[in-house]
Amino acid sequence: MLDHRGYIYTSKHEGWYSVSDETFYPPSQTGKEVEWSSETNYHFRLSAFQERLLDLYKTGFITPSNYTTEIVKSVSSGLQDLSISRPVERLTWGIPVPGDDTQTIYVWLDALVNYLTKAGYPFPPGQEGGLGFHCVYWPAFLMALDLPLPRNVLVHGHWTINHEKMSKSTGNVVNPFFSLDRFGVDTMRFFLAYQGGLAGDADYDNSYIIRDYKKLLQSGIGNLVLRTIGSSKGKLHSYIVSGTSGELPAANEQDLQFEQLLRETPVKVGEQMESLNPRAALQNIMVLIEQVR
């Protein structure tokens, strides 16, 4: 469809090529070992969508909004057409270009368009329904096909180790399966949601997971549930009966403040979830738990 609509063409592509990353780099970003390469491959007319993309960013497309400045600056400086294939001699794995077995589709075109197949593309009648990749290439592909755009892109920061980005080359990566086996699925979900950064990066360490588990889950939620269950087995019924008959003492200032917190927290949590900030929502819940303790 992209080719039929005139958005695909062949052209010579030259630049510094990283064999390990299988990608071209501009001269300003050639920190890794690269080699000069000149080859003919297929290109997508990304430059044709510069103004439409800039208009899209004005709609609050990117959350949190601090990432918008970065992407607007990048797109405003000028979009180059995107190389979307590699010679089969260089890239043996992957999907061959339709009608040209000498070329292989490069990862970002096939990977991003794969979202469409999961959503049911080509849609039956009645069922239309890295920052740069998801905020530039992906919407441009959709625009080229006259398909609906995502309503919003939620961007998050990196997980770091000792405040350095994880990298396979340096070996400072976490095996997620080891962590799940050690701490359990729910503990990991809690930690990643509670500490995970949206507007910035967050640091990962097993000791942090243990710290949050003991303080927030075990001593916080766990202790609250245990005391509640204990009360229900004991004198809780008599307290409820006394309360309904008006025999409880009048609420003091601390009681009133806590009651207000109980009423406000669900509203705040709802607003945070609507604004795509689950971390803030969970932190509001934990403030309530801490007050109960």
Side-chain angles (χ1 to χ4, degrees):
M1 289 297 297
L2 291 172
D3 184 44
H4 177 72
R5 289 168 174 250
Y7 292 114
I8 306 295
Y9 66 95
T10 57
S11 178
K12 179 178 286 189
H13 193 83
E14 294 183 329
W16 292 106
Y17 187 81
S18 169
V19 177
S20 61
D21 293 344
E22 297 175 338
T23 191
F24 286 90
Y25 284 103
S28 60
Q29 298 180 13
T30 54
K32 298 185 178 181
E33 184 176 347
V34 293
E35 60 185 34
W36 182 259
S37 176
S38 178
E39 62 190 34
T40 297
N41 49 35
Y42 288 88
H43 288 68
F44 170 72
R45 298 186 190 277
L46 182 65
S47 58
F49 298 93
Q50 179 171 331
E51 293 306 318
R52 289 182 64 182
L53 287 168
L54 291 173
D55 288 340
L56 176 64
Y57 305 146
K58 296 175 184 177
T59 66
F61 179 67
I62 302 172
T63 301
S65 59
N66 62 293
Y67 291 104
T68 304
T69 303
E70 174 186 343
I71 205 72
V72 167
K73 181 180 179 181
S74 175
V75 174
S76 298
S77 65
L79 284 179
Q80 302 296 317
D81 287 349
L82 182 66
S83 172
I84 59 170
S85 74
R86 299 288 184 268
V88 69
E89 296 83 8
R90 184 190 292 282
L91 193 61
T92 56
W93 59 269
I95 302 173
V97 171
D100 187 350
D101 292 337
T102 69
Q103 294 274 323
T104 303
I105 298 177
Y106 186 55
V107 61
W108 289 113
L109 180 64
D110 61 14
L112 292 168
V113 172
N114 186 52
Y115 298 161
L116 288 174
T117 64
K118 177 63 179 176
Y121 182 83
F123 305 113
Q127 296 186 20
E128 292 78 5
L131 190 61
F133 302 119
H134 293 85
C135 296
V136 180
Y137 300 165
W138 175 228
F141 296 157
L142 294 174
M143 289 174 180
L145 295 169
D146 288 331
L147 291 174
L149 302 179
R151 292 187 300 274
N152 192 269
V153 173
L154 176 61
V155 185
H156 58 80
H158 289 274
W159 279 101
T160 60
I161 295 285
N162 293 326
H163 303 288
E164 295 182 356
K165 290 182 180 179
M166 295 187 195
S167 169
K168 291 182 180 179
S169 59
T170 58
N172 64 336
V173 294
V174 174
N175 187 318
F177 299 106
F178 290 171
S179 298
L180 290 172
D181 288 342
R182 179 177 179 182
F183 301 113
V185 174
D186 287 335
T187 300
M188 288 301 298
R189 283 173 173 162
F190 175 83
F191 174 76
L192 295 174
Y194 187 75
Q195 299 290 0
L198 290 174
D201 296 340
D203 210 41
Y204 181 98
D205 193 284
N206 288 337
S207 65
Y208 299 161
I209 302 174
I210 296 171
R211 175 202 63 196
D212 287 354
Y213 176 81
K214 289 183 176 180
K215 179 181 179 181
L216 303 173
L217 297 182
Q218 192 176 59
S219 298
I221 297 175
N223 184 47
L224 174 61
V225 171
L226 187 64
R227 287 190 290 123
T228 302
I229 293 174
S231 297
S232 67
K233 290 180 178 179
K235 299 180 180 180
L236 184 61
H237 178 71
S238 62
Y239 291 146
I240 295 174
V241 172
S242 298
T244 56
S245 60
E247 297 177 9
L248 285 178
N252 58 30
E253 183 63 27
Q254 187 176 7
D255 293 332
L256 295 175
Q257 290 177 356
F258 182 69
E259 181 179 355
Q260 184 178 357
L261 182 63
L262 283 171
R263 297 181 184 278
E264 291 177 349
T265 298
V267 178
K268 289 182 179 179
V269 169
E271 291 173 349
Q272 296 291 357
M273 294 300 291
E274 285 293 327
S275 62
L276 304 180
N277 194 342
R279 181 187 189 187
L282 186 54
Q283 289 175 340
N284 275 317
I285 294 173
M286 296 315 298
V287 168
L288 178 61
I289 299 297
E290 180 66 23
Q291 290 295 317
V292 176
R293 291 204 311 130

